[in-house]
Amino acid sequence: MSTNTIQGTALITGASSGIGATYANRLAKRGYDLLLVARDQSRLETLAADLRKTTSAKVEVLKADLTDASDVSAVEQRLRNDASITLLLNNAGVATNSALAEADLNEVDRLIQLNIVALTHLASAAAAGFVARGRGAIVNIASVVPMIPERFNAVYTASKAYVLSLTQSLNAEISDKGVQVQAVMPGATRTEIWERAGMDINAFPAEMVMDVNEMVDAALAGFDQKELVTIPSLANVADWDAFVNARLALGPNLSLQHAAARYKTPGA
Ligand SMILES: NC(=O)c1ccc[n+]([C@@H]2O[C@H](COP(=O)([O-])OP(=O)(O)OC[C@H]3O[C@@H](n4cnc5c(N)ncnc54)[C@H](OP(=O)(O)O)[C@@H]3O)[C@@H](O)[C@H]2O)c1
């Protein structure tokens, strides 16, 4: 029997490397059992064996290609039916280096399938189970790029804007039902994602690139503080609050019976 029945099980997508593998390590040390999801089964098995040796976590591996609808559905079913799962880390994602006009649309579709469609299905399945049980947490890994859309390619940036928006609305839908929701918005973090997308992380000034351990530890500190949105490098949280307040100030004028004066046709 598991010793980790209090925390329950964390299902981590993209657990075979980078941010997901680092969360696996930290969550195991925090007393979670783990369900590790990614395509590379041998890397997952190696990580699982290491964590079984170094922590008391029960660790299971579930090989899935989350661009494949039937694999997504299998993970979804697990989230719906396994009451031991208390945390979903929606982390698997890919980047691209292509401008939209030059993009390979098959690659674009795979990115959308992974970063948006799979993430949405898994969040929905987890939300259903967690709301029914009045307990659980959903952590979605977004990015800071929606804050600087002019400086990064369209498809990746828009996919992460989707993750942020989904998280904010999902929180409004379920946070009063005992479910914690968090969007993590990392800046550039030293992982394989850059090389996989044909980019060189070393092209960034070193002071802009965070070590993955520091990034995940900060994200978990934000989780412990029950933050809805965590930007690991943002020193002054008042800056984020000001951004949210500026958005909320638009509220009273976003949907009105009449167009604004500057859009009125002269003489009409
Ligand atoms: N690193 C950064 O600078 C940074 C910044 C902001 C946000 N993020 C976000 O952080 C998340 C994790 O990325 P990372 O930086 O840790 O990169 P990474 O090391 O490349 O990890 C990506 C993970 O996703 C998995 N994955 C990729 N395609 C998959 C598929 N079709 N089905 C299932 N799993 C798949 C990979 O495993 P397999 O290859 O074994 O399937 C891997 O475990 C992503 O959502 C990324 O957008 C990263």
Side-chain angles (χ1 to χ4, degrees):
M1 190 174 125
S2 164
T3 50
N4 296 328
T5 44
I6 295 169
Q7 295 281 40
T9 300
L11 189 157
I12 303 175
T13 68
S16 61
S17 67
I19 293 169
T22 307
Y23 262 104
N25 175 286
R26 299 303 193 270
L27 291 174
K29 288 181 176 148
R30 283 177 169 229
Y32 284 89
D33 291 327
L34 301 176
L35 183 45
L36 306 177
V37 179
R39 293 168 303 179
D40 189 330
Q41 184 153 9
S42 74
R43 282 183 96 176
L44 291 177
E45 298 286 6
T46 303
L47 175 62
D50 178 53
L51 292 175
R52 285 185 204 112
K53 228 181 285 161
T54 54
T55 72
S56 60
K58 260 202 322 182
V59 188
E60 188 188 339
V61 161
L62 179 55
K63 175 181 153 72
D65 180 345
L66 297 176
T67 62
D68 178 290
S70 63
D71 281 11
V72 175
S73 170
V75 180
E76 221 180 287
Q77 289 317 313
R78 187 67 192 264
L79 279 162
R80 287 188 193 282
N81 301 327
D82 184 343
S84 76
I85 298 173
T86 54
L87 192 154
L88 167 65
L89 179 70
N90 244 332
N91 163 76
V94 286
T96 175
N97 195 20
S98 303
L100 191 55
E102 288 108 46
D104 168 350
L105 291 180
N106 291 319
E107 187 199 343
V108 168
D109 287 353
R110 282 194 300 277
L111 185 152
I112 291 172
Q113 188 66 39
L114 180 64
N115 294 14
I116 295 182
V117 178
L119 175 134
T120 306
H121 280 228
L122 301 187
S124 175
F130 295 165
V131 166
R133 297 191 282 280
R135 175 188 183 204
I138 299 173
V139 178
N140 294 325
I141 305 297
S143 163
V144 290
V145 291
M147 299 297 109
I148 44 167
E150 305 80 4
R151 288 164 58 186
F152 216 73
N153 68 75
V155 175
Y156 181 75
T157 303
S159 78
K160 293 302 179 178
Y162 177 92
V163 176
L164 175 61
S165 177
L166 179 106
T167 308
Q168 290 167 315
S169 295
L170 180 64
N171 182 61
E173 291 172 4
I174 65 173
S175 64
D176 64 347
K177 299 185 171 72
V179 186
Q180 184 180 349
V181 179
Q182 182 193 24
V184 178
M185 296 170 63
T189 308
R190 197 172 294 283
T191 70
E192 294 170 20
I193 198 169
W194 298 90
E195 200 183 336
R196 290 188 201 231
M199 290 179 270
D200 180 9
I201 185 79
N202 296 317
F204 284 86
E207 62 270 20
M208 283 184 68
V209 181
M210 196 176 286
D211 171 77
V212 69
N213 293 296
E214 187 165 345
M215 200 297 285
V216 170
D217 287 336
L220 281 165
F223 181 80
D224 293 340
Q225 291 165 38
K226 306 266 190 290
E227 284 187 344
L228 171 58
V229 173
T230 297
I231 302 178
S233 63
L234 188 71
N236 191 354
V237 77
D239 290 345
W240 175 258
D241 294 340
F243 176 74
V244 172
N245 288 335
R247 174 172 67 74
L248 294 175
L250 295 172
N253 293 309
L254 292 177
S255 179
L256 294 171
Q257 190 176 12
H258 297 295
R262 71 185 178 287
Y263 300 127
K264 297 254 167 74
T265 312

